[in-house]
Amino acid sequence: MRIVLLNWAPIAEGAARGGGINGYTRALAQDLLRRGHEVAALSGGTAYEPGPIPGEPGPCRIRKLPAWQGIQRYEVLNSPVLAPALPQFRDPRAEVSSPGLEREVARLIAELRPDAVHIQSLEGFSAGCIAAIGAAAPGARVVFSLHNYHTICPQVYLMQGHRRPCHSFDGGRACDGCIPTVDPAAEKRRLATGDSTPAEFEWKRPENGNAGREEPGGESVWRGLLRRFANAPPAEAGAPTAPPPAPFIPPPLWSEAWITMPARRPLLNIVHPEPACAGPPNAYGQRRLAMIEAINRCDTVLAVSDFVRRKYETLGVRPEVLRTLHIGTRLGVAPGGVRSEPDPATPRSRPIRLAFMGYNNWYKGLPMLLESLALLTPEVLGRFHLHIFALGGEPADAELAGLRPRLAGLTVREGYSHDELPALLAGIDLGLVTSVWWDNGPQTVLEFLACGIPVLGAQLGGIPDFIQDGVNGLLFRGNDRWDLARRLAGIAAEPAVLARLRDNVKPPKTMTEHTSELEAIYGARVS
């Protein structure tokens, strides 16, 4: 079969650029290639070059890149839609339809004549690209994997202000003033001219008065973003502006005001239908409607967890095309986990080894984990050796400095490669997956299980799809620092439970098994 994989990030860069989705896409492409299929990858939204007008990007076009490990590569040059999603946030209309981009995508698809097109993400593309693909290759199966929430949330995470779960979209009015943004046109000019100056994110006045910043940036996703908020540069002449927000001073730690901040309220894994809109959809609301309509054009829509499937079904994706399909892990570990020899010491006679791995940001829950640990008594906290294998993200030096003398041990490593995981996780007793949002289907869960390690995870998003409480791991109420601390205290009091949990860990689905499932889907068209 001829198969095209579409994702915003260049496939050769894998998870180093594009995170888990691109790591998955690359692994899928390699597996398909090994099975004898012809594989092409199309990326978009990241490559820009100047055109005939000085300082402006050139026209949108697709260029062919050198093949990588036998995979044909193409990229959209000067896409009207930026990727990843955050720089594009202020211009939702381009994500609805960009005719020049759609013509180029249709031209390439007609040239490649694929049997299947598997869309991993529409970041860097438009909703109209799906119709363009269908028209250019009417016999091809079009498959869409819902790895994240980009199609229904222009900043991907369904978290207002990057902190508060978005429970009411209100026809797009919840997006107005939700997060600090950049000017997409200025960002494209910056990329086209090779300007290495970091883009400045700033607040814009919401059209409908939605403050969108109850907790501005004292807990910001970007390093140093608070400083930029407090000293935001002047807006362009004539543009409506709001005065820069005052520097955010957080309430005293553990005070009632601190505890009741919306970002720290517990979160349940329940899909509620969207409340009725207060009026007609704005540009963000039209974007969501266009994305749902485009998804419904696909032959098969794959949700990476049951929560994601339920969420999209409530928003109008047709049940007959929508199904849950858990992804596979590319982490190959020998049966029995990463320990080649039994550990001579038991957790009762040595510290209990905990591990957090993944991105160091608010969503993935490292800040919440550190706050939960701070709740524990010295006797309990002193039972744990914490290992943190974190990629990039926010500084946590002060929190770690406060915990270090109270823990039995603290090991911190910034960054790791996928191939290093079996060695890094050797001897770990419990994996921690502490996401504070409806994490679609975190691959860290699969990686811990592949290494034979039970997981203590948040009862959010796709985590409960893989972790059975009391069987192969433990669950705590999402974003609940006290419930996580309770679970940790229970483990310290009864460490023998870890051996029982570990005995029940079963290897997750492999990437090879998952690819076999996809081959069947590529060959079966839904009527």
Coordinates of all heavy atoms in Angstrom, one line a residue, residues 13-72:
E13 N 12.8 14.2 12.9 CA 13.1 14.7 14.2 C 12.5 14.0 15.3 O 12.8 14.2 16.5 CB 12.9 16.2 14.2 CG 13.7 17.0 13.2 CD 13.5 18.5 13.3 OE1 13.6 19.0 14.4 OE2 13.2 19.1 12.3
G14 N 11.5 13.2 15.1 CA 10.9 12.4 16.1 C 10.4 13.2 17.3 O 9.9 14.3 17.1
A15 N 10.4 12.6 18.5 CA 9.9 13.2 19.6 C 10.7 14.5 20.1 O 10.2 15.3 20.8 CB 9.9 12.2 20.8
A16 N 11.9 14.6 19.6 CA 12.7 15.8 19.9 C 12.0 17.1 19.4 O 12.2 18.1 20.0 CB 14.1 15.7 19.3
R17 N 11.2 17.0 18.4 CA 10.4 18.1 17.9 C 9.0 17.6 17.6 O 8.9 16.8 16.6 CB 11.0 18.8 16.7 CG 10.3 20.0 16.3 CD 11.0 20.7 15.1 NE 10.5 22.0 14.8 CZ 10.8 22.7 13.8 NH1 11.7 22.2 12.9 NH2 10.3 23.9 13.6
G18 N 8.1 17.9 18.4 CA 6.8 17.4 18.1 C 6.3 16.4 19.2 O 5.2 15.9 19.2
G19 N 7.2 16.1 20.2 CA 6.8 15.3 21.3 C 6.3 13.9 21.0 O 6.8 13.3 20.0
G20 N 5.4 13.4 21.8 CA 5.0 12.0 21.7 C 4.3 11.7 20.3 O 4.5 10.6 19.8
I21 N 3.6 12.7 19.8 CA 2.9 12.4 18.5 C 3.9 12.2 17.4 O 3.7 11.3 16.6 CB 2.0 13.6 18.2 CG1 0.9 13.8 19.2 CG2 1.3 13.4 16.8 CD1 -0.1 15.0 19.0
N22 N 4.9 13.0 17.4 CA 5.9 12.8 16.3 C 6.7 11.6 16.5 O 7.2 10.9 15.5 CB 6.7 14.1 16.1 CG 7.3 14.2 14.7 OD1 6.6 13.9 13.7 ND2 8.5 14.6 14.6
G23 N 7.0 11.3 17.8 CA 7.7 10.0 18.0 C 6.9 8.8 17.6 O 7.5 7.9 17.0
Y24 N 5.6 8.9 17.9 CA 4.7 7.8 17.4 C 4.7 7.7 15.9 O 4.7 6.7 15.3 CB 3.3 8.1 18.0 CG 2.2 7.3 17.3 CD1 1.9 6.0 17.7 CD2 1.5 7.9 16.3 CE1 0.8 5.3 17.1 CE2 0.5 7.2 15.7 CZ 0.1 5.9 16.1 OH -0.9 5.3 15.5
T25 N 4.5 8.9 15.3 CA 4.4 8.9 13.8 C 5.7 8.3 13.1 O 5.6 7.6 12.2 CB 4.2 10.4 13.3 OG1 3.1 10.9 14.0 CG2 4.0 10.4 11.8
R26 N 6.8 8.7 13.7 CA 8.1 8.1 13.1 C 8.1 6.6 13.3 O 8.5 5.9 12.4 CB 9.3 8.8 13.7 CG 10.6 8.4 13.1 CD 11.8 9.3 13.5 NE 12.3 8.9 14.7 CZ 13.5 9.4 15.2 NH1 14.2 10.3 14.5 NH2 13.9 9.1 16.4
A27 N 7.8 6.1 14.5 CA 7.8 4.7 14.8 C 6.8 4.0 13.8 O 7.1 2.9 13.3 CB 7.5 4.4 16.2
L28 N 5.7 4.6 13.6 CA 4.7 4.0 12.7 C 5.2 3.9 11.3 O 5.1 2.9 10.6 CB 3.4 4.8 12.8 CG 2.3 4.4 11.8 CD1 1.8 2.9 12.0 CD2 1.1 5.3 11.9
A29 N 5.8 5.0 10.8 CA 6.3 5.0 9.5 C 7.4 3.9 9.3 O 7.4 3.2 8.3 CB 6.9 6.4 9.2
Q30 N 8.3 3.8 10.3 CA 9.4 2.8 10.2 C 8.8 1.4 10.2 O 9.3 0.5 9.4 CB 10.3 3.0 11.3 CG 11.1 4.3 11.3 CD 11.9 4.6 12.5 OE1 11.4 4.3 13.6 NE2 13.1 5.0 12.4
D31 N 7.8 1.1 11.0 CA 7.2 -0.2 11.0 C 6.4 -0.5 9.7 O 6.5 -1.6 9.2 CB 6.2 -0.3 12.2 CG 6.1 -1.7 12.8 OD1 7.2 -2.4 12.7 OD2 5.1 -2.0 13.4
L32 N 5.7 0.5 9.2 CA 5.0 0.3 7.9 C 6.0 0.0 6.8 O 5.8 -0.8 5.9 CB 4.2 1.5 7.6 CG 2.9 1.7 8.4 CD1 2.3 3.1 8.2 CD2 1.9 0.7 8.1
L33 N 7.1 0.7 6.8 CA 8.2 0.5 5.8 C 8.7 -0.9 5.9 O 8.9 -1.6 4.9 CB 9.3 1.5 6.0 CG 10.2 1.9 4.8 CD1 9.4 2.5 3.7 CD2 11.3 2.7 5.2
R34 N 9.0 -1.4 7.1 CA 9.5 -2.7 7.3 C 8.5 -3.8 6.8 O 8.9 -4.9 6.4 CB 9.8 -3.0 8.8 CG 11.1 -2.4 9.3 CD 11.5 -2.9 10.6 NE 10.5 -2.5 11.7 CZ 10.6 -1.4 12.4 NH1 11.7 -0.6 12.2 NH2 9.8 -1.1 13.3
R35 N 7.3 -3.5 6.8 CA 6.2 -4.4 6.3 C 6.0 -4.3 4.8 O 5.2 -5.0 4.2 CB 4.9 -4.1 7.0 CG 5.0 -4.4 8.5 CD 3.8 -3.8 9.2 NE 3.8 -4.2 10.6 CZ 3.0 -5.1 11.1 NH1 2.1 -5.7 10.4 NH2 3.0 -5.4 12.4
G36 N 6.8 -3.5 4.1 CA 6.8 -3.5 2.6 C 5.9 -2.4 2.0 O 5.7 -2.4 0.8
H37 N 5.4 -1.5 2.9 CA 4.5 -0.4 2.3 C 5.4 0.7 1.8 O 6.5 0.9 2.3 CB 3.6 0.1 3.4 CG 2.6 -1.0 3.9 ND1 1.6 -1.5 3.2 CD2 2.6 -1.6 5.1 CE1 1.0 -2.4 3.9 NE2 1.6 -2.5 5.1
E38 N 4.9 1.5 0.9 CA 5.5 2.8 0.5 C 5.0 3.9 1.5 O 3.7 4.0 1.6 CB 5.2 3.1 -0.9 CG 5.7 2.2 -1.9 CD 5.3 2.6 -3.4 OE1 5.2 3.8 -3.6 OE2 5.1 1.7 -4.2
V39 N 5.9 4.6 2.1 CA 5.4 5.6 3.1 C 6.0 7.0 2.7 O 7.2 7.1 2.4 CB 6.0 5.2 4.5 CG1 5.5 6.2 5.6 CG2 5.5 3.8 4.9
A40 N 5.1 7.9 2.8 CA 5.5 9.3 2.6 C 5.0 10.1 3.8 O 3.9 9.8 4.4 CB 4.9 9.9 1.3
A41 N 5.7 11.1 4.2 CA 5.4 12.0 5.4 C 5.3 13.4 4.9 O 6.2 13.9 4.2 CB 6.4 11.8 6.5
L42 N 4.2 14.1 5.3 CA 4.0 15.5 5.0 C 3.9 16.3 6.3 O 3.1 16.0 7.2 CB 2.7 15.7 4.2 CG 2.3 17.2 3.9 CD1 3.4 17.9 3.1 CD2 0.9 17.2 3.2
S43 N 4.8 17.3 6.4 CA 4.8 18.2 7.6 C 4.4 19.6 7.1 O 4.5 20.0 5.9 CB 6.1 18.2 8.3 OG 7.2 18.6 7.4
G44 N 4.1 20.5 8.1 CA 3.7 21.9 7.7 C 3.7 22.8 8.9 O 3.5 22.4 10.0
G45 N 3.8 24.1 8.6 CA 3.7 25.1 9.6 C 5.0 25.5 10.3 O 4.9 26.3 11.2
T46 N 6.1 24.9 9.9 CA 7.4 25.2 10.6 C 8.4 25.8 9.6 O 9.4 26.4 10.1 CB 7.9 24.0 11.2 OG1 8.3 23.0 10.2 CG2 6.9 23.3 12.2
A47 N 8.3 25.7 8.3 CA 9.3 26.1 7.4 C 8.9 27.4 6.6 O 7.8 27.3 6.0 CB 9.6 25.0 6.4
Y48 N 9.7 28.4 6.7 CA 9.3 29.7 6.0 C 10.6 30.3 5.4 O 11.7 30.1 5.9 CB 8.7 30.7 7.0 CG 7.4 30.3 7.5 CD1 7.3 29.3 8.6 CD2 6.2 30.7 6.9 CE1 6.0 28.9 9.0 CE2 5.0 30.3 7.4 CZ 4.9 29.4 8.4 OH 3.7 28.9 8.8
E49 N 10.4 30.9 4.2 CA 11.5 31.6 3.6 C 10.9 32.9 2.9 O 9.7 33.0 2.6 CB 12.1 30.7 2.5 CG 11.3 30.4 1.3 CD 12.0 29.5 0.3 OE1 13.1 29.0 0.6 OE2 11.5 29.4 -0.8
P50 N 11.8 33.9 2.8 CA 11.3 35.2 2.2 C 10.9 35.0 0.8 O 11.4 34.2 0.0 CB 12.5 36.1 2.4 CG 13.7 35.2 2.5 CD 13.2 34.0 3.1
G51 N 10.0 35.9 0.4 CA 9.5 35.9 -1.0 C 9.9 37.2 -1.7 O 10.8 37.9 -1.3
P52 N 9.2 37.6 -2.8 CA 9.6 38.8 -3.5 C 9.4 40.1 -2.8 O 10.1 41.1 -3.1 CB 8.7 38.7 -4.8 CG 7.6 37.8 -4.4 CD 8.1 36.8 -3.4
I53 N 8.5 40.1 -1.8 CA 8.3 41.3 -1.0 C 9.3 41.2 0.2 O 9.2 40.3 1.0 CB 6.8 41.4 -0.5 CG1 5.9 41.4 -1.7 CG2 6.7 42.6 0.4 CD1 4.4 41.4 -1.3
P54 N 10.2 42.2 0.3 CA 11.2 42.2 1.4 C 10.5 42.0 2.7 O 9.6 42.7 3.1 CB 11.9 43.5 1.2 CG 11.7 43.9 -0.2 CD 10.3 43.4 -0.6
G55 N 11.1 41.0 3.5 CA 10.6 40.8 4.9 C 9.4 40.0 5.0 O 8.9 39.7 6.1
E56 N 8.8 39.6 3.9 CA 7.5 38.8 3.9 C 7.8 37.4 3.4 O 8.6 37.2 2.5 CB 6.5 39.5 3.1 CG 6.0 40.9 3.6 CD 5.2 40.8 4.9 OE1 4.6 39.7 5.1 OE2 5.2 41.7 5.6
P57 N 7.1 36.4 4.0 CA 7.2 35.1 3.5 C 6.8 35.0 2.0 O 5.9 35.7 1.5 CB 6.3 34.2 4.4 CG 6.0 35.1 5.6 CD 6.1 36.5 5.1
G58 N 7.3 34.0 1.3 CA 6.9 33.8 -0.1 C 5.6 33.0 -0.2 O 5.0 32.8 0.9
P59 N 5.2 32.7 -1.4 CA 4.0 32.0 -1.5 C 4.0 30.6 -0.9 O 5.1 29.9 -0.8 CB 3.8 31.9 -3.1 CG 5.2 32.1 -3.6 CD 5.9 32.9 -2.6
C60 N 2.9 30.0 -0.6 CA 2.8 28.7 0.0 C 3.0 27.7 -1.1 O 2.4 27.8 -2.2 CB 1.4 28.5 0.6 SG 1.1 26.8 1.2
R61 N 3.9 26.7 -0.8 CA 4.1 25.6 -1.8 C 4.6 24.4 -1.0 O 5.0 24.5 0.2 CB 5.1 26.0 -2.8 CG 6.5 26.4 -2.3 CD 7.4 26.9 -3.4 NE 8.8 27.2 -2.9 CZ 9.8 26.4 -2.8 NH1 9.6 25.1 -3.2 NH2 11.0 26.8 -2.4
I62 N 4.7 23.3 -1.6 CA 5.2 22.1 -1.0 C 6.5 21.7 -1.7 O 6.5 21.7 -2.9 CB 4.2 20.9 -1.1 CG1 3.0 21.2 -0.2 CG2 4.8 19.6 -0.7 CD1 1.9 20.2 -0.2
R63 N 7.5 21.4 -0.9 CA 8.8 21.0 -1.5 C 9.1 19.6 -1.0 O 8.8 19.2 0.1 CB 9.9 22.0 -1.1 CG 10.2 22.1 0.3 CD 11.3 23.1 0.5 NE 11.6 23.4 1.9 CZ 12.4 24.4 2.4 NH1 13.0 25.2 1.5 NH2 12.6 24.5 3.7
K64 N 9.8 18.9 -1.9 CA 10.2 17.5 -1.5 C 11.6 17.6 -0.9 O 12.5 18.3 -1.3 CB 10.3 16.7 -2.8 CG 10.7 15.2 -2.5 CD 10.5 14.3 -3.8 CE 10.8 12.9 -3.4 NZ 10.6 12.0 -4.6
L65 N 11.7 16.9 0.2 CA 13.0 16.8 0.9 C 13.7 15.4 0.7 O 13.0 14.5 0.2 CB 12.7 16.9 2.5 CG 12.0 18.2 2.9 CD1 11.7 18.1 4.4 CD2 12.9 19.4 2.7
P66 N 15.0 15.3 1.0 CA 15.6 14.0 0.8 C 14.9 13.0 1.6 O 14.5 13.2 2.8 CB 17.1 14.3 1.3 CG 17.2 15.8 1.1 CD 15.9 16.4 1.4
A67 N 14.8 11.8 1.1 CA 14.2 10.7 1.8 C 15.0 10.4 3.1 O 16.2 10.6 3.2 CB 14.2 9.4 1.0
W68 N 14.3 10.0 4.1 CA 14.9 9.6 5.4 C 14.6 8.2 5.7 O 13.5 7.8 5.9 CB 14.4 10.5 6.5 CG 15.0 10.2 7.9 CD1 16.2 10.6 8.3 CD2 14.4 9.5 8.9 NE1 16.5 10.2 9.6 CE2 15.4 9.5 10.0 CE3 13.2 8.8 9.1 CZ2 15.1 8.8 11.2 CZ3 13.0 8.2 10.3 CH2 13.9 8.2 11.4
Q69 N 15.7 7.3 5.8 CA 15.5 5.9 6.0 C 14.4 5.2 5.2 O 13.7 4.4 5.6 CB 15.2 5.7 7.5 CG 16.3 6.1 8.5 CD 16.1 5.7 9.9 OE1 15.1 5.1 10.2 NE2 17.1 6.0 10.8
G70 N 14.4 5.7 3.9 CA 13.4 5.1 3.0 C 12.1 5.7 3.0 O 11.2 5.4 2.2
I71 N 11.8 6.7 3.9 CA 10.5 7.4 3.9 C 10.6 8.6 3.1 O 11.5 9.5 3.3 CB 10.2 7.8 5.4 CG1 10.1 6.5 6.3 CG2 8.9 8.6 5.5 CD1 10.2 6.8 7.8
Q72 N 9.7 8.8 2.1 CA 9.6 10.0 1.3 C 9.2 11.1 2.2 O 8.3 11.0 3.0 CB 8.6 9.8 0.2 CG 8.9 8.7 -0.8 CD 7.8 8.5 -1.8 OE1 7.5 9.4 -2.5 NE2 7.2 7.3 -1.8

